[in-house]
Amino acid sequence: MAKSSSTKSREENGAPRGRKGDRADEIVTAAFEEFTVKGYAGTRLEDVASRAKVSKGLPYLYFKTKEELFKAVVRSVLTPAFDEMRELMLASDLPSEDFLKGPFLAFLQDLVKSRRMLIARLLISEGHKHPELTRFYYDHVVSKGIAALRAFIDRGVERGELKPTGLHDFPQLLVAPALMAVTWRSCSRPMPISTPMSF
Amino acid sequence: MAKSSSTKSREENGAPRGRKGDRADEIVTAAFEEFTVKGYAGTRLEDVASRAKVSKGLPYLYFKTKEELFKAVVRSVLTPAFDEMRELMLASDLPSEDFLKGPFLAFLQDLVKSRRMLIARLLISEGHKHPELTRFYYDHVVSKGIAALRAFIDRGVERGELKPTGLHDFPQLLVAPALMAVTWRSCSRPMPISTPMSF
Amino acid sequence: MAKSSSTKSREENGAPRGRKGDRADEIVTAAFEEFTVKGYAGTRLEDVASRAKVSKGLPYLYFKTKEELFKAVVRSVLTPAFDEMRELMLASDLPSEDFLKGPFLAFLQDLVKSRRMLIARLLISEGHKHPELTRFYYDHVVSKGIAALRAFIDRGVERGELKPTGLHDFPQLLVAPALMAVTWRSCSRPMPISTPMSF
Amino acid sequence: MAKSSSTKSREENGAPRGRKGDRADEIVTAAFEEFTVKGYAGTRLEDVASRAKVSKGLPYLYFKTKEELFKAVVRSVLTPAFDEMRELMLASDLPSEDFLKGPFLAFLQDLVKSRRMLIARLLISEGHKHPELTRFYYDHVVSKGIAALRAFIDRGVERGELKPTGLHDFPQLLVAPALMAVTWRSCSRPMPISTPMSF
DNA sequence: GATGAATGAGGATTCATTCAT
DNA sequence: GATGAATGAATCCTCATTCAT
């Protein structure tokens, strides 16, 4: 998340860069940490500001409201994560199972280890309060990820590398273990992330 | 929650309000609905009260604080759900796969259809703010459910009905689809709950 | 205080007797203890009720409001205390100084030792919120006590036993040490009550 | 309280509101007035705020809780009062009786006339709810005042100006008349403060 | 008379947001 | 642009008081 805007997302969140380290980015980063730890309602903008080492009023210069900041946080994590996954799916030409057990698993494990998956908990807990956000991201980001997964599955089936199963209809099951790991962990018990196989 | 008032008051029908009133139950039910819809912080006790058709102050007569009420809600949903599951696992002697595809799947589908699984979202989103609650329920309720699942798997393996897989180590994967369904749905997209097959 | 209504104050506070121990008295006694410890605002009628071993609603059967109960408490302590003092002043014919150093000092010391003087703190802290009470008691009870003290002083002066001093004008100084002792003690430091002499 | 803002803001005149605003001082002053009139429990922070002409929330910016504000009030009155007294005792070299009947009496009379002595009533009525406050002030402020009084008395005795009496043991009796005056007045009846003589 | 469940006004406290500097 | 003092709506919780039983 830290480097989310390093690629291309400069102007969409209206952040000025400034050579001494994008304040907006620092605020978003701090907000991410606060939000994932305390939840939306539990996060005080003042704490976000302190964590970002800026004054209490500054976040309002970049983000009109707390909700806008929240959306910026989701944006800054989700978009890169799904972009990465899509790139990954297209970049390899390994046999399906090898790919799943190799790079894809590694990707999921990284995801789970990184704090970025915590965004999942945020979406689960707060998503319904921000329906446009949820819908927007579902429609523009998540659905693309799912499409990529589905395309991957279909290709594997075509090649005879995968059995045609219900997976085509619910490709999200491929990432279910990662989600499971995160939700499970969030309920205080670590659960090792194993292969998404046996599917 | 389901059967909390089993002690002396009216049954499932809208019987006359008892004198001593299982108002506590009505409050817990109302609170469950508010909490699942609005989250912990977003729920106003006053709304819980109105929903339960009682005065603003009454919830405090039964639950010292908002947190106590929250705990009571979790308790009232979680305990019966896990008890039910354990009973189910012990009650049947069908071949493992038949059981999983039959009664067990039906149970999960019921669970997902019922609003009770919404408690999962609550635990995911708010659990970390109530660590003792989480730990208590993990230790006393969840772990028993997991043990039951594991026993079931082991029995199936012994009988040669199931292949020995990593499932023994993470039996919670058996309910993962249900959890997936709920979390997915909570992000605004319905996802049919299918068989926990391929297991 | 305990036995305040044993003498003559039965009907004025509307208390029924009932052979098994005047409930009203028990409530007043309990209230006295709560009020002196917690102050007026800090006292919960529910705690008064528990202390008196009666139900939460009972005090309202005897005392229309919390304030009425408070007044009853003041009444039950002040009246007997001043009555006692007046009787004392009239009962003796010792030389003035002997009387002051003997029975009168003993009386003050008893007063201070007893919990009854705590009523002073109540009047100091809460008196201004109950002006009619204060005025009534000043006019009907306190002023009689002062008059008795003044009469005693004047008699002593007439007899040549006491020097004519400002004491005539502020006879309350005779009890000042007792008041001092109580107020001082209430600020957490015990102060022995010595002779009201050297006056 | 009197000179609390001695650091950098306007003096006794209604000078322009400073930018950084010694709002804290204004709030403490307003709180002092509310507390002395209404008591601790009876004071609504909202009223304090209005009296100080600030918003409801501002007091919480300076004082975490109502209790902290209360402590600040006590501090702001007590400390200067006792400091003043100690300075007074050391500053003069008049014969003991002249000092008592002159500057010291004047000091007490001023004290009683000023509203500062009302703090005494606060301590009497609310002190027991704030034991650390009471103890702290006793140990650090009051006891020093008493020590100064005792030193003064002893010096007088050494010089043969005062008779050795119990006063050495309870020097607080020197201020008893002032305390008496205040407590008495608080019970609605003014009592002139006369000489602390006859001691 | 007694009980204790129920009511609801009232007050402490928090925090998103604004704005003068 | 930055700052942080100030605002005030919102919400938890308490408790005097009422009332059905």
Side-chain angles (χ1 to χ4, degrees), chain A residues 33-154:
Chain A
E33 287 166 0
E34 292 287 322
F35 280 138
T36 53
V37 171
K38 317 250 188 79
Y40 180 78
T43 292
R44 294 156 9 106
L45 276 234
E46 186 165 3
D47 289 344
V48 170
S50 334
R51 187 186 278 268
K53 308 275 191 42
V54 300
S55 74
K56 193 181 167 196
L58 194 56
Y60 287 92
L61 225 46
Y62 297 98
F63 310 96
K64 211 97 205 84
T65 66
K66 189 185 188 180
E67 188 175 10
E68 286 306 314
L69 176 55
F70 178 74
K71 289 177 180 175
V73 167
V74 175
R75 224 176 287 148
S76 79
V77 178
L78 270 196
T79 313
F82 276 94
D83 287 350
E84 208 181 325
M85 193 181 77
R86 282 207 304 277
E87 285 169 29
L88 187 72
M89 317 255 22
L90 301 173
S92 167
D93 233 341
L94 291 176
S96 299
E97 190 161 347
D98 292 349
F99 177 75
L100 285 178
K101 291 188 172 170
F104 186 70
L105 176 56
F107 168 76
L108 286 187
Q109 286 171 333
D110 272 6
L111 202 58
V112 169
K113 269 194 303 231
S114 84
R115 324 191 66 255
R116 295 185 316 188
M117 265 302 271
L118 292 174
I119 201 71
R121 189 166 80 213
L122 271 186
L123 286 178
I124 290 168
S125 33
E126 322 284 358
H128 59 121
K129 275 173 231 156
H130 311 279
E132 349 79 61
L133 175 68
T134 306
R135 166 166 293 265
F136 180 85
Y137 271 83
Y138 186 86
D139 291 345
H140 293 81
V141 182
V142 180
S143 64
K144 285 182 188 166
I146 290 180
L149 287 172
R150 183 172 288 139
F152 173 85
I153 291 163
D154 291 348

Side-chain angles (χ1 to χ4, degrees), chain C residues 155-179:
Chain C
R155 192 187 63 181
V157 171
E158 276 170 32
R159 290 176 178 173
E161 296 168 358
L162 296 174
K163 283 174 297 187
T165 65
L167 209 47
H168 167 90
D169 296 320
F170 314 110
Q172 51 271 47
L173 285 176
L174 274 183
V175 294
L179 189 54

Side-chain angles (χ1 to χ4, degrees), chain B residues 122-151:
Chain B
L122 272 184
L123 286 178
I124 291 167
S125 35
E126 322 284 357
H128 60 124
K129 278 172 229 155
H130 311 278
E132 349 79 61
L133 176 67
T134 304
R135 168 165 291 267
F136 180 85
Y137 270 86
Y138 186 85
D139 290 344
H140 293 80
V141 181
V142 179
S143 64
K144 285 182 187 167
I146 290 181
L149 287 172
R150 181 171 289 138

Side-chain angles (χ1 to χ4, degrees), chain B residues 95-106 152 162 174 196 199:
Chain B
S96 298
E97 189 162 346
D98 292 351
F99 176 75
L100 284 178
K101 290 187 173 170
F104 187 70
L105 175 57
F152 173 85
L162 297 175
L174 274 182
F199 287 104

